[in-house]
C-alpha cells in the first residue's frame, strides 16, 4: 500500500468480470498466452498468483454464496452492533491509512484487496461494527460490488461474521503489520510503535482490546493461540490502559 499509488500492481478487472463484459476464462487464457509467449519475460510466481485469485478465490466466494445464502446474510457470530463512523463517508480522519484507503474508495470507487481487508475491514472488525452496516458500505462504494462477491468477502473474509465458513480466523492486526505493508504510517499523525499515550496508533489499542474481549469466544481456535499467548504475557495495568483508550475510540471514532 502506497500513499501516492491507488492501483499499483492490480489489474482493475473485477468490474469487467463481475458485470460479464469479460469472462474469467478469457482473462486467464490471455495471461497464459502471454506467459507462454517466448518473447515475454514473466515468471511463474507472477502468473500463478494472479490466476489463483480468479480460479481460486473468486470461484470459492461464488460457491460459498450459492451454498450459504440466504441465511449467510443474517450471520453475526461476534454479535457486533456498533455504527459506522461518519468518516467512512468523508475520509476525514487523522488515521492516515484510513484517510487514504477510504478517500480513494469514495473518489474512484476502487481500493485494492489489502486496503479493503487490512485497513478498512480490520478497523471495522476491531471497532465491532455491525456487519449489516459494513456490508451496506462496501456494496454502496465499490464499482465491482455485486452481492455474491461482496458479502462473502465482507461478512466472511473480513468481518468473521460467518463464524469461520470462509476463513479460519479473524483477520485482525495491529499497526505493526500495516506499517510493514505500507508507506502510510510514516505520514501519519499517530505513531505505529506506541501502544499507549495520545500519539499511540488506534489500531494498537483496538487490536489488544479485541483479543481481550473475544478471548473466551476464540478459546478453541488453534490459529488464535499465538496471539492469545502474547496477550496473556501483557502486564495487567498496561492492558487496562489500552482497553480504556480502545473504549473511547469505539465510542467516538470520529474524534480520532
Ligand atoms: C472486504 C472486502 C470486500 C470485497 N468486495 C469485493 C466486491 O464487492 N467485488 C469483487 O469483485 N471483489 C471484492 N473483493 C475482493 C478483491 O478485493 C477485489 O476483487 C479486487 O480488489 C479487485 O481489484 P482488481 O481487479 O484490481 O484485482 P487484482 O488484484 O488484479 O486481482 C485479480 C482478480 O482476482 C479476483 N479476486 C481476488 N481476490 C478475490 C476475492 N477475495 N474474492 C473474489 N475475487 C477475488 C478478482 O476478480 C480480481 O479482479 C473484496 C475484498 C474484501 C477484503
Ligand atoms: S500509525 Fe496507525 S493509524 Fe496511522 S497509518 Fe499507521 S496503522 Fe494507520
Amino acid at each position: 500500500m502506497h500513499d501516492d499509488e491507488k492501483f499499483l500492481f492490480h489489474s482493475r478487472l473485477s468490474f469487467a468480470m463481475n458485470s460479464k463484459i469479460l469472462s474469467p476464462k478469457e482473462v486467464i487464457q490471455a495471461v497464459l498466452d502471454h506467459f507462454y509467449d517466448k518473447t515475454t519475460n514473466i515468471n511463474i510466481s507472477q502468473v500463478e498468483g494472479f490466476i489463483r485469485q480468479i480460479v481460486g478465490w473468486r470461484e470459492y466466494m461464488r460457491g460459498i454464496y450459492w451454498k450459504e445464502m440466504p441465511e449467510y446474510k443474517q450471520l453475526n457470530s461476534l454479535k457486533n452492533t456498533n455504527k459506522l463512523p461518519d468518516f467512512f463517508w468523508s475520509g476525514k480522519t487523522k488515521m492516515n491509512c484510513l484517510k487514504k484507503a477510504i478517500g480513494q474508495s469514495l473518489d474512484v470507487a476502487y481500493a485494492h484487496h489489502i486496503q479493503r481487508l487490512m485497513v478498512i475491514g480490520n478497523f471495522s472488525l476491531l471497532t465491532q461494527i455491525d456487519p449489516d452496516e459494513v456490508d451496506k458500505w462496501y456494496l454502496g462504494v465499490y464499482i465491482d460490488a455485486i452481492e455474491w462477491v461482496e458479502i462473502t468477502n465482507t461478512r466472511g473474509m473480513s468481518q468473521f461474521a460467518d463464524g469461520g465458513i470462509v476463513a479460519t480466523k479473524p483477520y485482525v492486526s495491529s499497526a505493526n503489520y500495516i506499517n510493514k505493508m505500507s508507506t502510510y504510517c510514516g505520514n501519519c499523525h499517530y505513531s505505529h510503535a506506541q501502544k499507549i499515550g495520545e500519539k499511540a496508533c488506534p489500531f494498537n489499542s483496538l487490536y489488544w482490546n479485541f483479543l481481550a474481549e473475544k478471548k473466551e469466544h476464540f478459546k478453541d481456535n488453534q490459529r488464535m493461540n499465538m496471539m492469545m499467548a502474547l496477550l496473556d504475557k501483557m502486564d495487567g495495568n498496561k492492558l487496562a490502559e489500552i482497553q480504556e483508550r480502545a473504549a473511547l475510540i469505539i465510542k467516538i471514532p470520529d474524534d480520532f
Side-chain angles (χ1 to χ4, degrees), residues 33-52:
D33 290 346
H34 208 56
F35 177 62
Y36 287 118
D37 177 348
K38 295 275 180 284
T39 63
T40 61
N41 186 20
I42 314 171
N43 67 50
I44 188 134
S45 60
Q46 292 169 290
V47 174
E48 188 272 336
F50 182 77
I51 291 179
R52 181 159 40 89

Side-chain angles (χ1 to χ4, degrees), residues 7 9-15 17-18 50-54 57-59 61 110-114 116-118 121 134 138-139 142-155 157-159:
F7 312 115
F9 306 116
H10 296 274
S11 68
R12 286 173 279 164
L13 286 175
S14 50
F15 168 76
M17 281 189 279
N18 296 354
F50 182 77
I51 291 179
R52 181 159 40 89
Q53 301 302 309
I54 298 174
W57 275 107
R58 189 171 183 274
E59 292 302 323
M61 292 314 206
Y110 178 90
H112 63 69
H113 190 69
I114 296 304
R116 295 188 206 195
L117 186 62
M118 194 188 291
V134 184
Y138 276 88
L139 201 54
Y142 293 109
I143 190 164
D144 57 20
I146 292 177
E147 192 183 64
W148 68 264
V149 63
E150 173 276 322
I151 200 168
T152 41
N153 271 295
T154 306
R155 207 164 270 254
M157 180 185 275
S158 137
Q159 298 302 293

